[in-house]
Amino acid sequence: MDIKQTNDDLIRFWGESICLGEEDRQALADVPKDLSTLAPSQELFAAAKSLGDYERVLDYGCGHGWASVVAASSGAKEVEAVDMSPSIIEAASCYAEAFGVGDRIDAHVIDAGWLSRCDEGTYDAVFCSNVLDVVPKQTAGEIIKGLYAALAPKGKAIIGLNFFLSPEAASKRGMNLEDGYLFVNGILRLSNLNDEEWSTIFEPFFVVEKLEHFAWAGEEMKTRRLFWLRKR
Ligand SMILES: C[S@@+](CC[C@H](N)C(=O)[O-])C[C@H]1O[C@@H](n2cnc3c(N)ncnc32)[C@H](O)[C@@H]1O
């Protein structure tokens, strides 16, 4: 399928969605620094916390960097938080500073080719939450290959994914799936693959050690996915 938007549109959308205004920055300075409130769910929090056992961690498509903050606060020595939008990286740097781990988080803007230029085996663990299923499938494939190469032998990859939307559930909610993608206002919001399809994509590169299903706060059904992978 011809994806009807460029990467620039996608990054602009996320840059506008995840950014901090002056008031947000003030609020962040004053907010009680309770790490567990940073993650959208307990399962994601536990996953990010487990990254504290590793020395060099990559948070790919970090958003405001909540997972990097949790990882660094839990013991990870060097965390790299990367994303494609400057406003997102500014937000990630603010969070890192506000939570007192700015010295252990290197937050920086990347371009689409950055991962393929990383030195092989750089990271002991990578975290990639809600990124692979909000990009075109070809991009997701390139990211998976890049994360594989950037990981040290037997390195850990933790991949968070949104829910799978069955055609019936989509039509019940008045949503239109086009060739396995959900667009909202012209923006790709979901690359709609089920658990087996994602496993098949990961398996040439990673052993799937665990697949957890979880819900965000307020959601009834545990339909979101967390893949715990080990580099082959
Ligand atoms: C749904 S947000 C998730 C943010 C964060 N990982 C989290 O769990 O809260 C998707 C993120 O992926 C980033 N992103 C989109 N395409 C990307 C790409 N090709 N490479 C790296 N990051 C990308 C967006 O800028 C955005 O920050």
Side-chain angles (χ1 to χ4, degrees), residues 11 14 18 60-63 66 83-84 88 129-131 135 139:
I11 297 308
W14 286 113
I18 309 174
Y60 188 83
C62 62
W66 65 267
D83 209 299
M84 293 179 76
I88 289 178
S129 162
N130 282 13
V131 179
V135 296
T139 308

Side-chain angles (χ1 to χ4, degrees), residues 15-31:
E16 285 165 7
S17 311
I18 309 174
C19 60
L20 296 180
E22 199 40 51
E23 276 182 24
D24 302 318
R25 282 166 209 262
Q26 283 302 327
L28 187 57
D30 299 336
V31 88

